[in-house]
Amino acid sequence: MACPINQSALDDNYTCTCLPGFKSIYEGYNLKCEACPPLHVTSVDKRSCVPCSGSSLNDTSKTCLPCLGTSDIMVDKALNGSSLGGMVCIECANGSVPGDGACIPCHSSLYTASGGSCSCPKTHEELGGICTPLSELSKIPDKDSSYIVKFDNGKKVYSTFFMENFRMAAHSCTFNQNKSACQLLSNMCVLLHYEFDDFNACQYYREEFGDNFVTLPSHVPWLYYNEGEANVYLSKTRLKTHYSFKKESPNSKFNFTVAKYSAKGHLLKYGRLETMLTLCPIIDYQLDAAVQFGTTFSQSCSIDVKDLWDRYDTEFYDVFLQYYDDEQHMIYAVPVLDRNYREAGSLVNQQSHKKWQLTRRFFLFDNLSGRESLSLNLNDKEKRARVVRYAQSVEIIIQLREGEGDGLIYPPLIKITYAEVEDDYYESGKRVETSLKVLYTMNFSKIRENLSIAVGVMSALATLWSFIGTWSWSRRCGKIVLDFPTIFHFFVIVCGNLANVFFVVMFFACLFWTIFFKRQDVVHLFLLTENQELLVKQYLTAACFLKLIQIMYIVYVQVTLDIFIIDWEQPRAKNSVPHPQLSTSLEEEGKLKGEQPISIWRMYFIANEWNELQTYRKTNVSFQLFLTLLCLKVIGFENLATADPSASFFVHDKDYNPPQSFVCRFAISMSVYAIIAVIQWFFRVVFYERYVENKLQQFIDLCSIANISVFILEHTMYGYYIHGRSAHGFADVDMQSIYEQMKREEEDLCGHRGLEPSSECQIFEVAVTYKFREQYDTILQPVHKFTGIQRPAARGRMASLEMEQSFQAYETMRRFFGMFLQHALKDLDYIVKEKLFLESVLDLEFQEVDDRCLFFRDNNHTFDHVLFYGHELSFLLCEMLLFTFVDLTSYDFVLAAVITFIFSYLLKKIRYTGGRKNVVHKTLVDQRFLM
């Protein structure tokens, strides 16, 4: 809000005060400002108006002009508080200098050097109010590089702060061993991000005091660790505290102690990290959770860029960790990794651990070093830094010492990344983000090695299995030599098998980490950090795309396979009533001659049922996703994925809620998804299909009742045969006849439905000969050229030569299959055998097809491999991987479920449309009768 009229805000921006030329009048707690009479100014206490007795009045500023003497001060009251009748100039006595409204003693260095006066002789130089001998200052040369602050955006600023303080602080620290001066010198080095390429505060510090903290003088702050030894210091084992996840344990929290210093080098206070290290003081950061052992902490806020200049002070921090060693109370210095540190222009702290330069002290905000000396800016910019810096990200990393005992840790590490804002954005209203994180980690090299071994071994087995699958495919396709289709098929099989391997390894690894992290009483492991999770995410992303390749290939094979419907019904005697159309056309050609044509409706009915079975599955995707979201979002399984040891289904708004770990999120979501899928699968296969409805078995029974068989060639030389020849010889009868036929079967008064005498086996895997395949292709060549029966544009097109050829080809094929299956072809025959156990396990036929086709008995509905039903596991895994992929990119289960449903729906639609066209094309069924 704006201050009232005649008032302005103080420097703290929280209080309004009267403008110069107005005196303050308080009515209760309300401040009012009354204008002073002409030729009067506001008194020092602002409660009265006084004339300018010792100087003239400045009408513009409504203040008295400064005193002419350099050793004068201007006052309006005596020491006892009595009024002097106006603003009076008083000369300070010898041995004192003007201060803040009073004469104060001059610095002892001036008094000593001048022999009792407050002047600095020519053999000395006054720096920051201190009289310094020139002989000593020669060791601290006056170079521009000492005052230049280089910012990451390329700007260089001649810093007022450095010009006023560097040489003075360096001299006092070196020659007087002044601790505050040493702290000030150290702070200037911290503001330079510890860079020492040119002569500056950091280089002077290192040259004068060395870079080995062990040999530092006691009055000099510790800034640098030894170069190139970051791994050594981060693997120290001096911390003996056994930390625990149990909140009632005294070691369930870290005891971080923070020392805070002002920019001038004065110790401000000691305190706990959770009360002192606040990036956003206005926001309740709930930092108590940041020191809770095992709880991954992450909190961020946005700050108005204007506040970076106006509301924050440049302060410096040293962090220590308190611990006990044999009952002795100790503190351990926590190292800092300044990611903006440069060495020879290179950001070495963003590279390999071996190059890291660890340091000790850090700042959160810097609006001091960017204040430019000799600024030509306007008055409102004179006190404002050209560039401000702020801690964009602060990470406290805790690493577990594995194998050395429960709850032991290596020294914590504080990683800080700074960002900058130029003063052009002061009035922009822009906001910047800053964050504080506490991360827990383990030795990732060991984890990576274990995962690599698991993936490598499983991938080798998957590749070997792919070779077997490709060998089986090449035999079934009649391949003799290695060609491009064989290589492509091997690539597809490898994609699918590797996707399975990646998913299984990552799932069980994440499930292991989740269960043992959440349930461990003795701390032996942590969860993966966000950077370490990238390996898991990469494997899962690869698995998702590899599985999609396999799924697309499965759909392609299913919509391009060969299928033929064999009608066993034989023509019977012609009715006495003439057929109105056939009697004038077909009968004239002598094609029926006393035989009644066979009804096509049974074939259409079987084709419709087959068409519906093509996308039939063991699990319902909509129901699956609905129950998954219900468990994750409503019941609260999602809340178990937090990166802390506790596990709760409910989130409390008043408590700190840790961020979710992707490892836990993936393990829990996929566990829920898999359990629901298994329950669906078990219910359908064990209960529903056994006691309610089994669509595949019903289809086989329907084929037997309709007297129709189905011959499917999934590959060139391999397929399936569903024997549906009626045991009664005919099926085109009325309802009573059907009922009597079924009753005879129940009473075992007729033959069996199987292909072989006294056998009930109706399903066979078929391996055909080259001669059979050649005959098959020769007969169906007209059908392959013609896309099936379409809606005719005119009656003349219906009677075209192509249609006639297709009808003849279908009839020829029907008779060919009839004779073949009844062993009536001399050169083409088959034998029925049992598949060997190893053949069933490997899905591979060792038995060679010579001059006879092989029919392998199969009562397990193996023909479902040409349907979605036979690839349920592949489709289920693909949906799980897609669900996971969307979630890892968006962290949104609802979006993942929606995209998974859309993908499943589109895939089903593509399969249904392509399969429907394939049935029309391969069986000559009119597409208008496929519902």
Side-chain angles (χ1 to χ4, degrees):
M1 59 183 295
C3 287
I5 188 171
N6 299 327
Q7 297 183 32
S8 64
L10 288 176
D11 290 340
D12 62 2
N13 286 335
Y14 289 105
T15 309
C16 293
T17 186
C18 292
L19 293 171
F22 292 83
K23 66 179 181 179
S24 302
I25 300 175
Y26 288 92
E27 297 179 357
Y29 294 100
N30 296 324
L31 172 65
K32 291 188 176 181
C33 299
E34 183 178 302
C36 291
L39 304 179
H40 283 65
V41 297
T42 308
S43 63
V44 175
D45 61 9
K46 298 187 178 183
R47 295 184 179 181
S48 60
C49 296
V50 294
C52 294
S53 300
S55 64
S56 302
L57 174 67
N58 187 333
D59 290 332
T60 303
S61 63
K62 299 296 183 183
T63 58
C64 297
L65 294 175
C67 297
L68 298 177
T70 57
S71 61
D72 292 352
I73 62 171
M74 185 175 289
V75 294
D76 64 343
K77 286 185 173 63
L79 289 177
N80 61 3
S82 60
S83 176
L84 297 178
M87 288 291 185
V88 180
C89 291
I90 300 177
E91 184 180 2
C92 291
N94 189 26
S96 63
V97 292
D100 187 13
C103 293
I104 60 175
C106 62
H107 193 268
S108 59
S109 63
L110 288 105
Y111 196 80
T112 302
S114 62
S117 66
C118 286
S119 61
C120 197
K122 293 183 179 180
T123 57
H124 292 67
E125 181 178 342
E126 185 176 349
L127 293 176
I130 299 176
C131 193
T132 308
L134 293 177
S135 59
E136 296 176 355
L137 276 181
S138 62
K139 296 182 179 180
I140 313 172
D142 185 10
K143 292 186 176 182
D144 288 346
S145 60
S146 304
Y147 315 126
I148 292 177
V149 179
K150 301 176 183 177
F151 293 94
D152 292 339
N153 60 8
K155 281 194 173 183
K156 296 181 179 180
V157 174
Y158 280 87
S159 173
T160 303
F161 179 72
F162 279 75
M163 293 191 71
E164 291 177 351
N165 296 286
F166 167 61
R167 299 184 76 201
M168 178 273 294
H171 176 270
S172 296
C173 178
T174 304
F175 296 97
N176 301 331
Q177 297 186 2
N178 184 290
K179 292 187 178 181
S180 295
C182 293
Q183 297 286 352
L184 174 56
L185 177 67
S186 301
N187 291 344
M188 286 189 281
C189 180
V190 175
L191 290 175
L192 294 172
H193 288 311
Y194 295 95
E195 296 179 31
F196 51 87
D197 292 340
D198 297 321
F199 181 77
N200 55 20
C202 293
Q203 190 179 88
Y204 180 83
Y205 174 97
R206 294 169 66 91
E207 289 179 352
E208 187 65 30
F209 308 114
D211 56 359
N212 191 335
F213 65 90
V214 178
T215 60
L216 278 178
S218 59
H219 62 280
V220 179
W222 172 15
L223 292 185
Y224 290 91
Y225 287 79
N226 293 344
E227 292 185 31
E229 297 186 6
N231 287 337
V232 175
Y233 294 111
L234 294 178
S235 59
K236 295 282 188 180
T237 58
R238 290 182 58 186
L239 297 176
K240 307 298 183 181
T241 303
H242 292 263
Y243 291 98
S244 172
F245 286 163
K246 298 179 180 178
K247 292 186 178 181
E248 62 274 11
S249 170
N251 294 328
S252 64
K253 289 187 177 182
F254 290 110
N255 191 354
F256 284 113
T257 299
V258 179
K260 182 166 68 172
Y261 297 87
S262 69
K264 290 290 188 177
H266 301 295
L267 176 65
L268 298 177
K269 65 184 294 189
Y270 276 101
R272 301 288 295 269
L273 179 142
E274 54 267 37
T275 60
M276 296 187 59
L277 201 63
T278 51
L279 291 173
C280 302
I282 301 175
I283 298 177
D284 179 12
Y285 245 70
Q286 298 173 320
L287 281 178
D288 191 54
V291 295
Q292 184 70 44
F293 180 68
T295 299
T296 299
F297 181 88
S298 179
Q299 197 66 273
S300 62
C301 68
S302 61
I303 303 175
D304 192 320
V305 293
K306 191 174 183 179
D307 291 342
L308 297 177
W309 278 271
D310 299 340
R311 293 198 176 184
Y312 294 96
D313 295 325
T314 303
E315 296 171 335
F316 299 83
Y317 303 86
D318 289 339
V319 180
F320 304 87
L321 177 62
Q322 297 190 37
Y323 69 101
Y324 285 89
D325 186 0
D326 296 330
E327 303 300 327
Q328 186 177 3
H329 195 186
M330 311 282 286
I331 62 171
Y332 194 93
V334 178
V336 175
L337 186 74
D338 185 340
R339 289 171 57 82
N340 294 70
Y341 168 77
R342 292 178 184 269
E343 192 170 311
S346 176
L347 294 169
V348 296
N349 284 351
Q350 297 184 24
Q351 300 176 18
S352 170
H353 292 198
K354 297 179 181 179
K355 297 183 179 181
W356 281 1
Q357 173 63 67
L358 298 180
T359 52
R360 278 287 299 129
R361 184 169 294 188
F362 64 93
F363 62 90
L364 296 180
F365 301 96
D366 170 27
N367 50 25
L368 185 62
S369 65
R371 295 178 185 176
E372 192 169 31
S373 178
L374 303 176
S375 173
L376 300 177
N377 295 335
L378 299 176
N379 291 333
D380 63 335
K381 286 189 175 183
E382 286 181 356
K383 296 183 180 180
R384 198 162 76 221
R386 293 278 303 280
V387 182
V388 296
R389 294 181 288 195
Y390 65 96
Q392 186 179 47
S393 171
V394 179
E395 296 180 358
I396 302 175
I397 300 174
I398 314 294
Q399 183 173 353
L400 186 69
R401 282 160 53 185
E402 303 169 71
E404 299 187 29
D406 56 291
L408 291 175
I409 64 171
Y410 291 110
L413 173 66
I414 299 177
K415 283 186 179 181
I416 303 182
T417 304
Y418 293 97
E420 301 171 351
V421 180
E422 298 182 34
D423 63 340
D424 296 339
Y425 293 93
Y426 181 77
E427 299 287 354
S428 67
K430 179 182 175 182
R431 304 187 71 86
V432 293
E433 292 288 332
T434 181
S435 65
L436 173 64
K437 297 180 180 180
V438 180
L439 306 176
Y440 295 83
T441 182
M442 298 182 295
N443 184 1
F444 188 60
S445 60
K446 184 177 180 180
I447 296 174
R448 182 187 292 273
E449 181 182 355
N450 293 338
L451 287 178
S452 299
I453 292 174
V455 171
V457 173
M458 295 288 288
S459 298
L461 295 176
T463 305
L464 179 61
W465 187 256
S466 301
F467 275 117
I468 296 174
T470 305
W471 182 25
S472 173
W473 177 86
S474 63
R475 288 172 59 88
R476 292 173 177 180
C477 290
K479 301 289 184 180
I480 300 176
V481 296
L482 182 66
D483 55 4
F484 178 77
T486 305
I487 297 175
F488 177 76
H489 185 79
F490 173 73
F491 168 75
V492 172
I493 296 181
V494 167
C495 287
N497 290 337
L498 288 181
N500 299 340
V501 167
F502 294 165
F503 177 82
V504 169
V505 173
M506 294 303 117
F507 171 72
F508 282 106
C510 292
L511 186 63
F512 168 82
W513 288 325
T514 301
I515 293 175
F516 280 83
F517 175 75
K518 293 284 186 180
R519 303 309 303 168
Q520 61 185 337
D521 292 328
V522 178
V523 182
H524 288 289
L525 61 83
F526 287 148
L527 293 173
L528 301 187
T529 63
E530 188 174 350
N531 289 334
Q532 293 171 349
E533 288 175 346
L534 287 177
L535 179 66
V536 178
K537 293 179 179 179
Q538 289 168 357
Y539 272 118
L540 292 175
T541 302
C544 180
F545 287 100
L546 291 174
K547 182 57 71 171
L548 285 175
I549 293 174
Q550 183 194 26
I551 291 300
M552 289 188 290
Y553 182 74
I554 290 174
V555 172
Y556 170 77
V557 170
Q558 291 188 357
V559 299
T560 56
L561 54 80
D562 293 312
I563 181 172
F564 192 81
I565 299 176
I566 307 166
D567 190 351
W568 292 100
E569 197 77 7
Q570 297 298 322
R572 286 180 284 175
K574 180 183 175 183
N575 296 333
S576 56
V577 180
H579 194 284
Q581 294 180 351
L582 295 178
S583 59
T584 61
S585 58
L586 297 178
E587 193 173 277
E588 291 177 357
E589 300 176 9
K591 292 185 179 180
L592 293 181
K593 292 186 179 180
E595 294 181 348
Q596 179 69 27
I598 302 171
S599 173
I600 196 64
W601 293 107
R602 290 173 299 102
M603 180 178 170
Y604 281 170
F605 187 49
I606 294 297
N608 265 290
E609 292 302 312
W610 176 261
N611 192 49
E612 293 178 4
L613 280 178
Q614 292 188 93
T615 56
Y616 177 65
R617 288 182 55 179
K618 297 176 184 176
T619 58
N620 185 296
V621 178
S622 303
F623 186 65
Q624 172 76 35
L625 294 173
F626 172 77
L627 286 183
T628 301
L629 287 181
L630 180 68
C631 292
L632 293 175
K633 304 292 290 186
V634 180
I635 297 178
F637 279 90
E638 179 185 23
N639 299 325
L640 299 178
T642 53
D644 66 326
S646 62
S648 174
F649 287 95
F650 305 101
V651 174
H652 303 284
D653 295 335
K654 294 184 179 179
D655 298 336
Y656 170 75
N657 297 310
Q660 292 196 345
S661 163
F662 175 76
V663 166
C664 298
R665 190 176 176 90
F666 168 65
I668 291 173
S669 63
M670 288 300 98
S671 297
V672 171
Y673 201 107
I675 289 172
I676 294 173
V678 169
I679 292 174
Q680 273 205 80
W681 197 324
F682 181 84
F683 175 79
R684 183 176 295 276
V685 174
V686 176
F687 177 77
Y688 186 82
E689 292 184 351
R690 184 184 295 267
Y691 300 108
V692 180
E693 181 184 40
N694 186 333
K695 289 185 176 293
L696 296 185
Q697 186 59 48
Q698 285 180 345
F699 178 77
I700 297 170
D701 294 338
L702 185 63
C703 288
S704 297
I705 295 174
N707 201 19
I708 285 179
S709 295
V710 180
F711 193 86
I712 306 164
L713 283 177
E714 184 180 12
H715 305 299
T716 306
M717 312 294 293
Y718 173 85
Y720 308 95
Y721 172 62
I722 303 174
H723 185 66
R725 187 171 186 178
S726 174
H728 310 283
F730 54 90
D732 200 359
V733 295
D734 56 15
M735 183 183 296
Q736 182 178 355
S737 300
I738 288 288
Y739 175 76
E740 291 177 354
Q741 289 179 0
M742 296 176 67
K743 187 175 181 181
R744 292 183 63 192
E745 282 195 71
E746 290 177 0
E747 297 174 355
D748 200 15
L749 299 177
C750 61
H752 297 277
R753 292 183 176 182
L755 176 62
E756 303 169 281
S758 303
S759 172
E760 293 289 348
C761 184
Q762 296 179 257
I763 310 170
F764 299 88
E765 294 181 63
V766 179
V768 301
T769 61
Y770 287 100
K771 190 173 184 179
F772 179 94
R773 182 69 202 199
E774 183 180 354
Q775 186 70 18
Y776 181 90
D777 292 336
T778 302
I779 296 174
L780 285 185
Q781 188 175 4
V783 179
H784 293 161
K785 291 181 178 180
F786 190 62
T787 58
I789 300 179
Q790 309 290 332
R791 184 179 298 275
R795 289 181 62 86
R797 183 180 179 184
M798 194 65 178
S800 65
L801 178 61
E802 291 83 358
M803 289 294 295
E804 185 65 28
Q805 289 177 346
S806 297
F807 290 141
Q808 291 176 0
Y810 173 78
E811 185 63 27
T812 304
M813 179 60 73
R814 189 178 73 85
R815 292 176 180 173
F816 166 71
F817 269 113
M819 298 174 67
F820 170 73
L821 293 170
Q822 297 180 83
H823 302 281
L825 296 176
K826 182 179 180 181
D827 298 332
L828 286 175
D829 202 359
Y830 68 93
I831 57 174
V832 180
K833 303 182 68 175
E834 290 288 348
K835 218 172 187 183
L836 302 177
F837 173 76
L838 192 58
E839 288 181 321
S840 300
V841 171
L842 299 179
D843 193 24
L844 170 66
E845 295 77 41
F846 296 133
Q847 305 172 61
E848 295 290 342
V849 179
D850 296 326
D851 56 344
R852 291 186 296 180
C853 301
L854 298 180
F855 278 50
F856 298 102
R857 301 183 188 92
D858 176 33
N859 290 315
N860 297 320
H861 300 164
T862 310
F863 74 92
D864 61 11
H865 280 74
V866 299
L867 309 171
F868 271 9
Y869 189 90
H871 294 276
E872 181 63 37
L873 187 59
S874 295
F875 286 102
L876 181 63
L877 190 57
C878 180
E879 290 157 359
M880 294 172 73
L881 285 168
L882 181 61
F883 187 94
T884 299
F885 174 73
V886 177
D887 181 58
L888 73 84
T889 55
S890 65
Y891 263 61
D892 189 342
F893 284 136
V894 176
L895 178 63
V898 170
I899 293 180
T900 303
F901 174 79
I902 293 174
F903 168 79
S904 176
Y905 175 79
L906 292 177
L907 190 67
K908 183 177 179 179
K909 198 71 176 177
I910 292 171
R911 172 65 178 89
Y912 179 82
T913 303
R916 188 172 184 270
K917 290 182 178 180
N918 188 58
V919 169
V920 171
H921 177 61
K922 298 295 177 61
T923 65
L924 208 64
V925 172
D926 194 325
Q927 65 175 358
R928 291 170 292 180
F929 295 97
L930 291 181
M931 305 301 178

